[in-house]
Amino acid sequence: MAANFWASTHGTHWLLNRQQLINSRKDDLKHINEHELTKVNIWFAKIITDLGKNLQVRQIIIATAITYFKRFYTKNSYRGTEPYLVAATCMYLACKIEESPHHIKTVISEMKKLTEGKGGFPYENQKVAEMEFYLMEELDFKMIVFHPYRALATLAQDLGTKNEDVQNAWWVLNDTYRTDMCLLYPPHVIAAAALYLPIALKDIREWFALLNITDIVQEIISLYELWTEYNEEKPQEILQRLLKK
């Protein structure tokens, strides 16, 4: 992995702008609106997170799997793919890349348990293995992902931030993976925004303002506002409309 984010494939190839995201979602937005698509994105981030917890993997692996999933859907539509298969494959591949491999049968078994009563997971080893190669191809074989957790630790140490505030910021970072932030912003800027939320000291606020993180903070707040009306049944109903061939 490149030591310098800006020299990595993440920094040179996988920082997108909002117009690119809008263009990548045109097909899906013919069938559901943007608000509903956001709920679908939250749903699959939750599916991947729950799968990771069932597999007892580290948070960094969950974050990598979600990032792969989001990168994949900058080139593909939900409408034209099998997102549950993509989600499971992203976890399987992330475990390998982050040097904590899980047997393909274990990933599939846990995915079947997780999706029971939610449409099920009919795929077996061969299908996931085939999807793995397709996923890597769609990601241009650029598998490096920089996450904001390390930047958070460095920033908190430099500022002498209280452990309680750092822990709160960590949870905020986990939640940002339910948004598009990992596609839009460098990890250190996301870390600064997450740390900003629980801190009230004026001098630190002024320092943070120099990083131009206002948009990111507002995006995190918008996520929590949407979450207040989120429930599991609604995304599944939206998916039925979106994936209906």
Side-chain angles (χ1 to χ4, degrees), residues 227-244:
W227 224 325
T228 61
E229 63 178 70
Y230 178 88
N231 60 71
E232 290 193 0
E233 290 74 20
K234 186 64 175 178
Q236 290 186 76
E237 184 275 327
I238 296 170
L239 273 171
Q240 287 178 356
R241 288 190 282 118
L242 176 59
L243 301 181
K244 185 177 181 180

Side-chain angles (χ1 to χ4, degrees), residues 39-229:
K39 289 186 176 182
V40 170
N41 290 335
I42 292 174
W43 170 258
F44 279 106
K46 182 180 184 300
I47 289 289
I48 293 172
T49 299
D50 291 345
L51 177 59
K53 289 179 179 178
N54 289 354
L55 291 168
Q56 298 183 334
V57 302
R58 293 174 290 124
Q59 178 60 36
I60 199 77
I61 296 175
I62 294 174
T64 296
I66 294 175
T67 302
Y68 287 166
F69 186 86
K70 290 182 176 293
R71 288 180 178 182
F72 178 84
Y73 280 105
T74 64
K75 295 185 175 182
N76 299 272
S77 67
Y78 284 114
R79 182 80 172 180
T81 59
E82 301 168 277
Y84 286 99
L85 174 60
V86 176
T89 307
C90 286
M91 177 58 69
Y92 177 59
L93 180 58
C95 288
K96 286 184 177 181
I97 298 299
E98 298 293 349
E99 300 180 348
S100 184
H102 277 62
H103 197 285
I104 192 169
K105 290 183 178 180
T106 304
V107 176
I108 291 173
S109 175
E110 291 300 331
M111 192 64 170
K112 286 181 182 293
K113 294 177 186 176
L114 185 62
T115 57
E116 187 176 357
K118 302 175 183 178
F121 189 78
Y123 312 104
E124 299 299 339
N125 297 12
Q126 183 178 353
K127 194 70 173 179
V128 174
E130 291 174 357
M131 184 65 215
E132 180 186 11
F133 287 104
Y134 182 55
L135 173 63
M136 289 191 292
E137 184 178 11
E138 289 296 273
L139 300 182
D140 296 326
F141 299 97
K142 296 177 174 61
M143 315 309 300
I144 292 175
V145 180
F146 278 73
H147 296 292
Y149 300 105
R150 181 180 296 179
L152 172 65
T154 301
L155 185 57
Q157 183 177 13
D158 291 345
L159 294 173
T161 309
K162 296 179 180 178
N163 288 338
E164 180 182 355
D165 290 332
V166 176
Q167 186 62 56
N168 290 336
W170 180 278
W171 293 119
V172 171
L173 286 183
N174 292 347
D175 292 341
T176 64
Y177 285 92
R178 288 166 167 78
T179 73
D180 296 323
M181 292 184 195
C182 62
L183 299 174
L184 295 169
Y185 305 110
H188 63 278
V189 178
I190 300 174
L195 192 57
Y196 173 90
L197 288 177
I199 294 178
L201 297 178
K202 291 184 178 179
D203 56 334
I204 294 182
R205 283 184 174 181
E206 292 172 358
W207 185 87
F208 274 126
L210 298 176
L211 293 175
N212 192 27
I213 61 173
T214 305
D215 290 345
I216 304 178
V217 171
Q218 184 56 54
E219 192 167 343
I220 296 172
I221 294 172
S222 297
L223 168 67
Y224 291 141
E225 289 176 347
L226 178 62
W227 224 325
T228 61
E229 63 178 70

Side-chain angles (χ1 to χ4, degrees), residues 18-34:
R18 292 194 180 277
Q19 188 57 51
Q20 288 174 302
L21 289 184
I22 292 172
N23 291 341
S24 70
R25 293 167 177 171
K26 285 182 177 179
D27 187 31
D28 288 332
L29 291 175
K30 293 176 182 177
H31 306 280
I32 59 175
N33 61 45
E34 188 173 351

